[in-house]
Amino acid sequence: YAAIPFYLAARDADVKPILGTLLDVGFVGAGLQTRPPLPGRSEDRPLQLLLLAADLTGYSNLCALVTQRQLEDRPVSLEELNAHREGVIALYALDQNENRKSKNENRESGCRGAACCAPVTETDCIARLRDIFADALYLEAHRLSPGDGRAIREAARLSKELGVPIVATNNVHFLRPEEHLH
């Protein structure tokens, strides 16, 4: 989807291009199915990971994962991520709008089924991804509004607890400062 022309144009302009993708990941087969549904919603949601190519091998692996996702119309599995991890950097964004429950809390609340009773804590997700990506896994933290301070503190706590570094990110919402809504 125009990654190569973008890469070449950025390089010609002395800008370091970064190629990546936001990919749906299912934890089937690893004891973790999907993220639990948001309050008031019943469907499971796959985990979304931001994956960046660190080199040509990483770009090739991202192309393989994206192609697989498109052809099979399902989230990629942890096993598939593991097979295509070389040269890939993973950024895990903490979902601050979601209240995760431990396996025991799910059972006590009457929740049934593999997805419901699997360990689905933020810590479980990060630990499994750390097993795959090792030093190429980062916790993503961003400050978009004054209320994001709590999420940043949680990212710092998990970073320290799990030994996964934090990277600051932010979406681009405008090109020039005067376009910012005050």
Side-chain angles (χ1 to χ4, degrees):
Y1 305 121
I4 300 303
F6 161 77
Y7 180 88
L8 295 173
R11 200 178 62 185
D12 288 347
D14 290 327
V15 173
K16 181 176 172 105
I18 298 173
L19 300 176
T21 186
L22 188 62
L23 197 62
D24 289 341
V25 177
F27 282 73
V28 176
L32 187 63
Q33 301 287 333
T34 59
R35 287 186 174 205
L38 290 171
R41 296 172 68 184
S42 60
E43 77 275 5
D44 289 338
R45 299 179 307 126
L47 171 75
Q48 289 193 318
L49 263 185
L50 178 58
L51 302 175
L52 305 174
D55 54 27
L56 187 56
T57 300
Y59 178 71
S60 177
N61 280 324
L62 289 183
C63 287
L65 288 167
V66 168
T67 299
Q68 189 169 354
R69 169 72 175 99
Q70 293 291 349
L71 290 176
E72 298 181 17
D73 195 28
R74 64 165 176 79
V76 299
S77 69
L78 288 181
E79 292 79 11
E80 293 160 339
L81 268 183
N82 190 43
H84 295 93
R85 73 179 182 273
E86 188 178 345
V88 174
I89 298 167
L91 278 63
Y92 179 87
L94 299 176
D95 193 346
Q96 56 195 307
N97 298 319
E98 191 171 287
N99 294 321
R100 295 188 179 276
K101 294 182 177 183
S102 73
K103 182 178 1 180
N104 291 335
E105 287 171 321
N106 281 330
R107 285 188 180 138
E108 289 169 6
S109 69
C111 185
R112 300 285 181 260
C116 207
C117 294
V120 291
T121 66
E122 203 85 66
T123 303
D124 291 332
C125 291
I126 296 166
R128 288 190 172 118
L129 292 169
R130 186 189 58 215
D131 290 343
I132 293 172
F133 291 103
D135 293 338
L137 174 67
Y138 296 85
L139 298 181
E140 191 176 353
H142 53 266
R143 186 177 202 108
L144 300 175
S145 65
D148 289 342
R150 192 177 92 211
I152 292 171
R153 286 189 298 279
E154 178 66 3
R157 182 190 70 75
L158 287 170
S159 172
K160 187 174 185 176
E161 178 182 321
L162 299 172
V164 177
I166 297 176
V167 63
T169 64
N170 200 4
N171 293 334
V172 176
H173 295 279
F174 50 88
L175 292 175
R176 293 176 288 282
E178 59 270 13
E179 294 174 350
H180 182 262
L181 299 174
H182 297 282

